[in-house]
Structures are given as C-alpha cells and as structure tokens.
Amino acid sequence: MAGKRDTSRDGLNNKIQTLVLTNFKGLWQLIQSNESIKRKVNKALLNSLIYKIPTRPNPYSMMTLDKHIPDTDKEKKTDTYTSWDSLNDRTYTGRHLPPNPKLNDPNNLPKVEDLAILFRKRDGKTIYSSKSTMLFPYWVQWFTDSFLRLDHTNKLKNTSNHEIDLCNVYGLTRKQTHLLRSFKGGKFKTQKLKRQDGVEEEYPLFYYADPAQGIVDPQFVGLYEPVNDEKRQPADKKQYLFAMGVERANVQIGYVMLNTLCLREHNRLCDVLASNYPDWDDERLFQTSRNILMAIILKIIMEEYINHITPYHFKLFADPEAFTKESWYRTNHMSIEFDFVYRWHSAIPETFTCNGKPTHVATTLWNNKILIDQGLGALMEETCSQPGTRIGLFNTPDILVELAELPSIRLGRELQLASYNDYRELCGFPRVNSFDQITGDEFTQQKLKEFYGHVDNIEFFVGLYSEDVRQNSTIPPLVARLIGIDAFSQALTNPLLSPKIFNKDTLSPIGWEIYQTTNTVSDLVNRNVPSSGKKYKVTFDLHKE
C-alpha cells in the first residue's frame, strides 16, 4: 500500500533546489534564451551537484582489501589509510568511503537468499516506467560497459581505461583496435547482410570461423577471450556473433544495435572526411573519425541522456571550457559506488514486443539474428515505441534476481561497503531515522524493518533502490545524486574535451560542424539506415513523438 513519504529528512537545501528547478518553467525558458546567462547557470548548477561530495582523488581504493595478508594471520584486519599506490594504481577500483567490516558482519545481516523477495515482482506484476522507452536501459548498459568493468577474476580490480572511450566499439587496447580495422580509408572491417525484406545493411564481421566447434576467425584471434555464457551458446546463435571491441558486446540486442550504429557512423565519417580532405591517409581518417564520434557520444550522454533522467526544466549541457579550473577537474578513477548505482536490472521488461511478437528477454541474449532480420531502423523504432520498466525494488525479472541482484548484495558485503545512511550523509542528504523517510510504500517499509531492524543497518545496494522515484524522474534520489556527481565530473574531464584539444584542429572543420549539429541518438540512427524516405522514431522519452 502506497502512503505518503515523510520528507523531513530530505534536507532544506535539497528541497529548495528541487522546488525551484521543477517549477517556474517560463522563467527557465527565459534564462535559456540568453546564451551568456544560460552558461553561467549551467556552470553553477553542475558545480553545485559535483561539489556535494569531496572531490577526487579519493583517499581510498579497493587496494585496501587486497594487501596479501599471510595465511598464518588468523584475524585479518582492514586498515584504512592512503598510500601512493592506492592513489595511482587504477587497476584497482576506487571508493568514496572506506571499508566498514563491522557493518558487513554476516551475523548482523539478513541472509542474502532471504532478500530475494525485495527484488521479485509482487504477485508477478510488472511496473512499467511512465517516462522511459526501452532505449534508455539499453543505452545505459551499453555506454557504462566501457568504463565500469569489474575484473571477473578479482572483483577488487577493473579492466577499464576509466574513460568514456567507446572501447566497446574500438577495443580496450591498440592491438584490439587494429584487429577490427580494415586499414583502408580509415574504416572498420564490415560486411553487408540482408534483412528479411532483402535490403542490405552494414554490420561488423562475424567472430567465429566455425561456430559449431567454437573456432574463432583467425583474423580476430587475440581480440578478447569470450565469456563463459557465450561459449555455452549453440552454433545457430554463435554463427551470427560479431567481432566487436569487448567480450560482452554481443550479450543483448540493445548492446549490438548501439555498437552497430557507432560502427556505421564511424565509417560514414571516414567518407565525409575523405571527400573533404583527399590528401589524408588511412590513419588520420581513422583517428579523426574516432575523435568526432567519441565527442558526439559524450555530448549525447551529457545532454540527451542526463536531461532525460532529471525532472528539471533547465536543460544541462556540455560546456567543457567552463570547468577546467575547478578542483574536481582531476584524473578519472572509477569508483565501486558508481558501479553499484548502475545495476539497473529492474529496468528491462521480462517480456516485450520484438519483431511484432511477444518475446522473453532471455531470447534476446546472444541473438544477433533478431537485429539482422529486422534491420537497425525498424528494431530501434520498435524499441522506442514501448516502455522500459521502473527502476527499483519488486520489479526485477526472475532470471536476474539470482543472477544479478543477489550477487550484488554479496559483492557489497565482500567489499565491506558502508551503509546506505553513510552514503546519504556523504552525498548531502540528512541521515534517515525511520523507514517511512525512505519510501512511502508501506510494504517496502515493513520488509526493510523485518530484515534490518534499524535504518542504520540497511546496506548500500538495497537502500539505493528502496527510495521512491521523484515525479518526472527516472531513478531514485540517491542514485541520481551519485550518477550526477560521477557522470559529469568524469565525462567533462575526458581528454577530448580539454581546451587545447576540443576544437576544429582536432575534429577538423567539417567534423566540428558535424559535432555541433548532432544532438540526439535519433540524429545518428536516421543518417545510418538505408534510405527509404522514412524517419524512424528514436528517443529515450516515452511521450515524445
């Protein structure tokens, strides 16, 4: 039963900021009509968000938990201090708060298996998003996978470059990138495949030479080691898996759609650059096209994607030059908390329409034939014509509760994450002192009290998704706060956006023009599908025509 949430612990400043930004629409439109005032307000709002927590570098990293204590030590202690190695070794994931082993004592916490009820759907009912299409969770999984990459052999480490660098498209290393390149005209290796209606579209090459035996095409040996889930796929699925930048790029059709879109746009940019600068060689065409595409994706993330998340009337925008002297303008170091706020397993429906038919989400895993048969434009439009699901408790597909939600809780305990209340305090929210200050839903309150007894005992991961989503937002408040802090402070520090780099010399005059006039995923899609006179509907917003 839904009741009214007690807002007394939201914080006065937070309340005022939300009230002002979600009202007075006419005033905000007036402000945004003046370029000078708009830039000043944009800078002030972004800084007010990023400075909610202490700026990087963080004094701690996951290295704290990996100190090679001798096996003879019966009682392992977790010391929390800063070292030069922990500040600079980015193979270890960062952390905002130090470990808290007392909070994570198994004797003081509910059994992980018992917490499954918090994520399973109540009475089997799916709660759909009132704001987001399915493109929203597809995009999130795709772009975050380029920098939130926990090492599966050691969860204290990560395998990312700590940048939004499109490694899912280009590969993590120069060697991997070279395996994907044609070395002709700056382009990727590609092939033409026919849709069901016979029209050809451009895709990456296939990864396997012999799908039945799991033999990789020799030209892609060393690209990556396939994950176990891919290795278990039958030959009829393996034969359509593409050679792309990272080992999970084929995992689901949303991921493959966006990778295919970027491949086509990169190759399209190469053609545009070659026609404008005929003396450029393959290397310059490749590198400049890569720079342009990465800058465009960063812009879409900071403007279309972030503004879809927020309920604000003022539309935040990328303005790299405004922030270079800020104390938060530091080298990126992805944090474990940032990884946890992007575990949106509840965001994709268990069943949705695919190629006009009801389809279980499991069917869309490792199944590129769906995209090949339907084509990028049609599948993208179908994706954007149906809602995603609400992010929060009691809404995760059954297959993901055991595979994703419960392992997240176990990982939080293993990494000794601080409590939900500790992270509220870090992010500028007052600590809650009753369950009805987290959510107005009485059933959720009851279950949280039953499992944890006191609000101070609630674990970070559970608390994140227990909160009510604000009106016209897409995610709970603490999730939104942490995303805003890390997303902007680590996107705007991308080397491509630094003042001496972010210019026509780097992107080329024609590339600069393309960047300035590309604002949405729709812009990318509709110029990278076979010409038919049709404009496909591509949007994060469920209500946008």
Side-chain angles (χ1 to χ4, degrees), residues 136-152 157-173 176 224-225 227 230 244-252 254-256 258-259 297 301 305 334 338-345 366:
F136 179 59
Y138 281 178
W139 177 272
V140 169
Q141 179 189 27
W142 172 74
F143 99 85
T144 61
D145 204 47
S146 68
F147 53 86
L148 298 177
R149 296 179 48 81
L150 291 189
D151 187 333
H152 295 295
K157 292 190 169 189
N158 65 73
T159 60
S160 82
N161 296 314
H162 297 267
E163 298 286 352
I164 300 173
D165 61 357
L166 294 191
C167 65
N168 35 15
V169 178
Y170 292 98
L172 283 157
T173 67
Q176 291 170 318
Y224 50 72
E225 174 63 23
V227 297
E230 177 178 320
M244 296 185 284
V246 294
E247 72 286 344
R248 284 170 43 83
N250 288 285
V251 68
Q252 204 267 346
Y255 204 130
V256 181
L258 291 164
N259 252 30
I297 296 300
I301 289 167
Y305 164 71
M334 295 301 163
F338 200 25
D339 185 280
F340 272 70
V341 299
Y342 267 122
R343 293 176 178 238
W344 294 358
H345 310 118
W366 309 100

Side-chain angles (χ1 to χ4, degrees), residues 228-497:
N228 288 332
D229 197 25
E230 177 178 320
K231 292 176 182 178
R232 289 190 288 264
Q233 297 306 311
D236 64 338
K237 282 191 175 182
K238 276 186 179 177
Q239 67 178 309
Y240 295 111
L241 299 185
F242 296 129
M244 296 185 284
V246 294
E247 72 286 344
R248 284 170 43 83
N250 288 285
V251 68
Q252 204 267 346
I253 55 169
Y255 204 130
V256 181
M257 276 199 296
L258 291 164
N259 252 30
T260 299
L261 173 62
C262 285
L263 174 140
R264 292 184 190 178
E265 175 66 4
H266 173 96
N267 283 0
R268 190 194 73 85
L269 289 169
C270 287
D271 285 337
V272 173
L273 292 173
S275 65
N276 281 272
Y277 312 108
D279 58 330
W280 283 15
D281 62 10
D282 167 78
E283 188 67 18
R284 187 166 187 183
L285 289 170
F286 176 85
Q287 298 297 348
T288 305
S289 295
R290 184 179 188 174
N291 289 342
I292 297 167
L293 180 57
M294 286 173 60
I296 287 171
I297 296 300
L298 283 161
K299 181 182 183 183
I300 289 172
I301 289 167
M302 289 185 283
E303 296 184 5
E304 186 179 22
Y305 164 71
I306 290 290
N307 283 318
H308 176 72
I309 287 177
T310 72
Y312 304 148
H313 290 307
F314 185 86
K315 301 305 177 186
L316 301 165
F317 60 94
D319 187 14
E321 293 181 0
F323 301 101
T324 54
K325 295 183 180 179
E326 298 296 332
S327 62
W328 57 259
Y329 197 86
R330 304 271 185 165
T331 301
N332 286 355
H333 194 163
M334 295 301 163
S335 69
I336 190 62
E337 294 88 352
F338 200 25
D339 185 280
F340 272 70
V341 299
Y342 267 122
R343 293 176 178 238
W344 294 358
H345 310 118
S346 57
I348 297 181
E350 197 151 14
T351 302
F352 48 87
T353 301
C354 190
N355 205 6
K357 302 174 183 177
T359 304
H360 193 278
V361 63
T363 305
T364 69
L365 303 177
W366 309 100
N367 194 350
N368 295 349
K369 190 71 162 55
I370 294 173
L371 172 59
I372 295 167
D373 286 348
Q374 199 168 349
L376 180 62
L379 184 56
M380 187 69 78
E381 181 168 84
E382 189 172 46
T383 296
C384 297
S385 298
Q386 52 191 314
T389 41
R390 190 207 65 185
I391 296 168
L393 299 184
F394 308 110
N395 211 32
T396 300
D398 284 343
I399 63 169
L400 292 179
V401 173
E402 299 289 340
L403 290 176
E405 305 289 27
L406 300 189
S408 294
I409 296 173
R410 291 189 185 97
L411 181 61
R413 294 181 184 185
E414 179 185 337
L415 304 182
Q416 300 179 4
L417 295 182
S419 72
Y420 160 69
N421 241 346
D422 290 338
Y423 281 103
R424 279 185 62 89
E425 186 174 32
L426 172 75
C427 292
F429 291 108
R431 299 174 72 92
V432 296
N433 48 39
S434 68
F435 293 98
D436 65 350
Q437 292 165 351
I438 302 171
T439 174
D441 185 82
E442 293 179 7
F443 183 75
T444 306
Q445 295 170 20
Q446 173 193 331
K447 287 299 176 184
L448 291 176
K449 187 173 184 179
E450 176 185 322
F451 286 127
Y452 293 102
H454 192 279
V455 290
D456 281 340
N457 299 327
I458 297 175
E459 297 167 88
F460 176 54
F461 182 70
V462 172
L464 278 174
Y465 299 102
S466 299
E467 295 182 336
D468 292 340
V469 175
R470 289 176 296 179
Q471 185 176 0
N472 201 34
S473 186
T474 60
I475 48 180
L478 185 56
V479 173
R481 178 66 56 87
L482 281 162
I483 283 178
I485 291 167
D486 271 340
F488 279 110
S489 73
Q490 301 196 91
L492 286 164
T493 53
N494 188 288
L496 275 176
L497 302 184

Side-chain angles (χ1 to χ4, degrees), residues 206-220 238-239:
F206 292 130
Y207 180 67
Y208 288 100
D210 185 344
Q213 299 299 319
I215 297 174
V216 176
D217 187 323
Q219 66 182 309
F220 297 123
K238 276 186 179 177
Q239 67 178 309

